[in-house]
Amino acid sequence: MQGCAVSEMAVLIDGKKMAGGILEEVKKEVAKLKGRPCLAVILVGEDPASKIYVTRKSEACREAGIEARDYRLPAETSEKELLELVDRLNKDKGVNGILVQMPMPKHINENLVTGVVSSGKDVDGLAPENIRKLGEGGAEGFAPATPLGVMEMLRRLKVRVKGKRAVVIGRSALVGRPVAAMLRNAGAEVMVCHSKTPDVGAETMKADILVVAVGKPKLVTGDMVKKGVVVIDVGTNRLPDGKLVGDVDFDSVRKKASMITPVPGGVGPMTIALLLKNVVKAYRMQGGK
Ligand code: NAP
């Protein structure tokens, strides 16, 4: 099984290794192209985590032979200026994909910005047309990279999704909602939990596949899952001591799960790998050979 390490309890899913394999595949694919795909990455403001994310994305692009154009704008950039930049990039034939790093400063309406990114260049899968396509079955649109990473992980691990009960905790536009749509499109029966769900534990207990995307350490504990569950932990939380952890209490849950992703080294690296795949897909959809 690609990207796994067998432990005495759950199989530990090695997202870093799996993502490394995908990045190599993308690199080989890009090397065979006549032209060079290009991703424009826009960051507004100085959010430290966002700065790290965009740097990683741009570096991964360059490593794979994809051109990365960075647009780092000051926090006081107006909504109008940002929309004008997106408009210019939409029209620029040399740019295949556009990514606007979230969160935006408070004075900018995020939905307005994601709404104007051309659907054919929307490699983050947040433009309305792509959201609609995903809801209708996912044909030929773009989906956000993190949920794509989750699904690719399940596919490569040969986890059966069809006919299984999947529970997703979190309903954000970037992770929870699209991953639920993808699991449903793949034939799972899907339950989505959120902050108002009366008894999250009663729902997670029924899950064959559990995807957690909330942003709260130890939200899911061993007594909330059934034996054999496949657990994908999307959460990334920085503890006061600087340690990075997910939303799942890894030590108690791994005793019952059949497979589990660690944090770090699970879903995070897959997100970048699938973003790059989306850029190459955009390049081809725009007629690139
Ligand atoms: P978000 O927009 O803040 O959404 C969080 C979701 O969790 C909301 O739907 C919220 O419900 C729900 N929630 C909050 N408290 C809950 C509770 N006690 N029980 C059940 N549901 C609860 O966050 P996001 O952007 O989806 O990100 C989620 C996590 O994934 C974060 O830790 C983020 O850093 C991480 N992340 C990781 C990657 C990666 O590549 N590894 C990528 C993206 C995000 P309501 O809708 O009712 O408010």
Side-chain angles (χ1 to χ4, degrees), residues 53 146 169-176 193-197 200 212-216 219 233-237 247 267-269 271-272:
Y53 294 146
T146 302
I169 317 183
R171 57 175 171 181
S172 70
L174 199 59
V175 192
C193 298
H194 47 79
S195 66
K196 310 292 182 292
T197 302
V200 174
V212 193
V214 174
K216 291 201 169 143
L219 181 79
D233 189 355
V234 182
T236 46
N237 306 289
D247 292 342
V267 176
T271 295
I272 294 186

Side-chain angles (χ1 to χ4, degrees), residues 16-289:
K16 204 171 165 194
K17 189 170 168 193
M18 205 184 274
I22 298 172
L23 288 171
E24 278 308 310
E25 289 164 22
V26 173
K27 201 171 173 176
K28 280 188 193 142
E29 190 181 350
V30 170
K32 285 188 208 141
L33 296 172
K34 287 188 185 142
R36 198 167 168 224
C38 171
L39 173 68
V41 182
I42 306 174
L43 173 65
V44 185
E46 300 292 326
D47 180 67
S50 294
K51 276 181 165 176
I52 295 172
Y53 294 146
V54 297
T55 302
R56 276 197 205 138
K57 287 170 188 174
S58 299
E59 279 173 3
C61 277
R62 290 181 189 119
E63 247 172 69
I66 293 170
E67 183 187 346
R69 284 198 212 164
D70 286 336
Y71 294 85
R72 302 215 176 187
L73 310 178
E76 54 285 0
T77 302
S78 71
E79 194 175 82
K80 184 168 174 280
E81 286 169 313
L82 181 58
L83 293 176
E84 281 168 3
L85 172 61
V86 173
D87 185 49
R88 273 207 309 281
L89 296 171
N90 279 340
K91 290 176 185 150
D92 186 337
K93 288 199 165 44
V95 171
N96 306 109
I98 302 171
L99 184 147
V100 188
Q101 183 66 39
M102 300 296 164
M104 296 265 111
K106 287 200 168 47
H107 66 279
I108 292 174
N109 179 340
E110 292 181 349
N111 288 336
L112 198 64
V113 178
T114 52
V116 296
V117 174
S118 154
S119 57
K121 295 189 178 186
D122 173 38
V123 289
D124 231 1
L126 293 172
E129 192 183 327
N130 285 319
I131 295 173
R132 181 182 55 76
K133 281 184 178 164
L134 186 61
E136 288 170 358
E140 279 319 308
F142 287 99
T146 302
L148 279 176
V150 171
M151 296 306 290
E152 186 64 16
M153 216 169 215
L154 296 175
R155 195 180 71 78
R156 290 189 184 230
L157 294 166
K158 298 190 170 43
V159 172
R160 192 177 160 80
V161 175
K162 200 173 179 177
K164 296 291 175 185
R165 229 179 255 266
V167 174
V168 177
I169 317 183
R171 57 175 171 181
S172 70
L174 199 59
V175 192
R177 263 186 276 153
V179 88
M182 284 179 203
L183 286 163
R184 210 168 275 127
N185 293 343
E189 183 185 291
V190 183
M191 166 74 191
V192 178
C193 298
H194 47 79
S195 66
K196 310 292 182 292
T197 302
D199 186 352
V200 174
E203 303 302 336
T204 55
M205 196 54 107
K206 296 179 208 152
D208 301 310
I209 299 166
L210 176 62
V211 180
V212 193
V214 174
K216 291 201 169 143
K218 299 198 182 196
L219 181 79
V220 176
T221 47
D223 57 342
M224 292 167 68
V225 298
K226 72 175 181 188
K227 205 164 182 327
V229 61
V230 174
V231 180
I232 310 289
D233 189 355
V234 182
T236 46
N237 306 289
R238 185 73 64 184
L239 298 181
D241 65 3
K243 201 175 163 210
L244 196 67
V245 297
D247 292 342
V248 171
D249 179 31
F250 187 78
D251 292 336
S252 65
V253 173
R254 77 182 298 199
K255 288 181 188 150
K256 291 174 85 180
S258 58
M259 294 184 195
I260 187 167
T261 55
V263 178
V267 176
M270 292 294 283
T271 295
I272 294 186
L274 273 291
L275 169 69
L276 267 52
K277 274 181 91 95
N278 265 355
V279 178
V280 176
K281 177 175 164 176
Y283 174 87
R284 289 192 187 281
M285 280 170 69
Q286 289 156 34
K289 301 266 184 273

